[in-house]
């Protein structure tokens, strides 16, 4: 029977030192002798018997420029061989990258800030990504995450430092951006705007200003499109017909010269 070595396949894994790799090699064979050598790139990696297949070559030095090749050469039958070319095998640690693209849907509801943080990443591995606000951990995400929805953050600070980092013991891969705290009022607007009353009954709403200040208001869709705006003097009210709006979440922004407040409105 003619010697034949075929269907040669391989898999490799880089080792933890990021400098070496192990490669697993297998092949189909018939009509062969008892043993073979594995050669490649001018090296002889060892002598094996066919019954040992699949074999593993361990701790080979990785090279980002060398085109690796591995050949099974039968030791008893001249000219009986097969080879495979994995190409370059590069085990250098890839540099992590995180970039915050946008922070959107920023609002405040009863002193609780919420927002959506969109970001891009490269070479993030498990356990994944951590999101911090003013150095406080607020969310942990999978390595393939592309955004974080923050809906329960409370702070009296005027500014919020939002950081997105790879989750490691030593933080070396991060991006950050500072935004104004939508809930920051310096303790003044809370007292004033607490007397602006929103009442709703099914799809009819009423906004009443029971303060002594003029209040500006605007109604936004959840994605930031302005639907209504206006102002109310002291003890004035405005009825709002919600039948015009699709089912979903809306944000009613209230402002005075002292600060702002956001009321969530759910249309069902």
């Amino acid at each position: 029977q003619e010697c034949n070595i075929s269907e040669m396949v391989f898999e490799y894994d880089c080792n933890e030192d990021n400098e070496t790799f192990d490669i697993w090699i297998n092949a189909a064979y018939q009509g062969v002798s008892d043993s073979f050598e594995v050669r490649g790139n001018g090296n002889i990696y060892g002598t094996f018997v066919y019954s040992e297949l699949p074999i593993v070559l361990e701790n080979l030095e990785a090279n980002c420029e060398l085109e690796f090749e591995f050949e099974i050469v039968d030791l008893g039958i001249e000219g009986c061989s097969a080879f495979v070319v994995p190409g370059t095998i590069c085990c250098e640690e890839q540099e992590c990258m995180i970039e915050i693209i946008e922070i959107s849907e920023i609002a405040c509801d009863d002193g609780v800030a919420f927002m959506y943080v969109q970001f891009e990443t490269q070479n993030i591995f498990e356990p994944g990504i951590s999101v911090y606000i003013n150095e406080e951990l607020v969310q942990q995400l999978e390595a393939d995450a592309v955004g974080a929805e923050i809906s329960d953050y409370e702070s009296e600070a005027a500014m919020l430092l939002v950081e997105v980092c790879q989750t490691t013991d030593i933080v070396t891969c991060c991006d950050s951006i500072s935004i104004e705290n939508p809930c920051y009022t310096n303790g003044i607007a809370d007292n004033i705007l607490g007397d602006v009353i929103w009442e709703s009954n099914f799809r009819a709403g009423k906004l009443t200003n029971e303060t002594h200040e003029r209040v500006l208001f605007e109604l936004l869709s959840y994605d930031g499109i302005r639907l209504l705006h206006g102002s109310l003097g002291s003890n004035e009210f405005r009825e709002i017909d919600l039948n015009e709006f699709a089912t979903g979440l809306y944000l009613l922004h209230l402002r005075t010269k002292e600060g702002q407040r956001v009321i969530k409105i759910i249309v069902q």
Side-chain angles (χ1 to χ4, degrees):
Q1 187 177 20
E2 184 179 356
C3 175
N4 182 45
I5 304 172
S6 62
E7 300 177 20
M8 189 170 172
V9 293
F10 71 93
E11 292 182 10
Y12 72 87
D13 287 308
C14 291
N15 296 321
E16 292 184 358
D17 60 11
N18 295 317
E19 296 178 354
T20 61
F21 66 94
D22 299 340
I23 188 165
W24 171 93
I25 297 174
N26 200 5
Y29 55 90
Q30 60 182 5
V32 296
S33 67
D34 294 332
S35 58
F36 64 91
E37 279 184 345
V38 177
R39 306 172 185 173
N41 302 101
N43 300 308
I44 297 177
Y45 293 108
T47 300
F48 308 88
V49 297
Y50 284 97
S51 61
E52 292 178 320
L53 284 169
I55 61 168
V56 178
L57 307 179
E58 297 181 327
N59 297 318
L60 304 186
E61 186 175 348
N63 191 320
C64 299
E65 299 179 357
L66 177 66
E67 290 283 331
F68 281 92
E69 58 184 36
F70 295 92
E71 184 179 19
I72 291 179
V73 179
D74 190 280
L75 291 180
I77 302 174
E78 186 176 353
C80 183
S81 65
F83 71 94
V84 66
V85 181
T88 60
I89 297 179
C90 185
C91 292
E92 292 180 359
E93 186 173 7
Q94 299 296 306
E95 185 175 355
C96 162
M97 187 281 291
I98 297 176
E99 180 181 1
I100 297 175
I101 303 301
E102 182 183 20
I103 299 181
S104 59
E105 303 171 14
I106 304 170
C108 177
D109 182 31
D110 292 332
V112 178
F114 57 99
M115 67 194 75
Y116 183 77
V117 185
Q118 180 185 357
F119 49 84
E120 292 181 352
T121 67
Q122 290 181 3
N123 303 313
I124 301 293
F125 302 100
E126 297 299 346
I129 295 168
S130 297
V131 181
Y132 301 86
I133 300 180
N134 288 356
E135 300 184 350
E136 177 186 349
L137 177 64
V138 294
Q139 250 186 58
Q140 288 188 299
L141 306 166
E142 299 293 331
D144 59 354
V146 295
E149 185 173 350
I150 311 298
S151 58
D152 56 357
Y153 185 74
E154 298 184 49
S155 173
E156 297 179 357
M159 300 296 295
L160 302 179
L161 177 64
V162 181
E163 296 177 280
V164 180
C165 301
Q166 183 176 8
T167 304
T168 57
D169 292 335
I170 301 176
V171 176
T172 57
C173 182
C174 278
D175 193 21
S176 63
I177 188 170
S178 291
I179 63 170
E180 294 183 0
N181 184 355
C183 297
Y184 179 70
T185 63
N186 201 24
I188 298 174
D190 282 343
N191 296 330
I192 297 173
L193 291 172
D195 290 326
V196 178
I197 310 301
W198 168 257
E199 302 170 281
S200 64
N201 182 12
F202 191 53
R203 283 181 171 260
K206 182 179 180 181
L207 184 65
T208 304
N209 179 14
E210 296 184 357
T211 76
H212 299 293
E213 302 281 339
R214 176 163 292 275
V215 176
L216 303 178
F217 69 87
E218 60 178 351
L219 182 65
L220 305 178
S221 64
Y222 191 62
D223 55 3
I225 299 174
R226 186 166 72 171
L227 305 171
L228 290 174
H229 69 282
S231 66
L232 293 174
S234 178
N235 295 314
E236 290 184 345
F237 68 89
R238 168 78 177 265
E239 293 182 344
I240 299 176
D241 183 3
L242 301 177
N243 284 304
E244 302 176 17
F245 307 125
T247 300
L249 175 65
Y250 296 83
L251 305 175
L252 181 61
H253 286 252
L254 308 175
R255 293 184 177 87
T256 70
K257 62 183 179 180
E258 304 293 353
Q260 65 177 352
R261 176 186 169 203
V262 177
I263 298 174
K264 285 183 183 178
I265 298 175
I266 298 177
V267 176
Q268 298 179 335

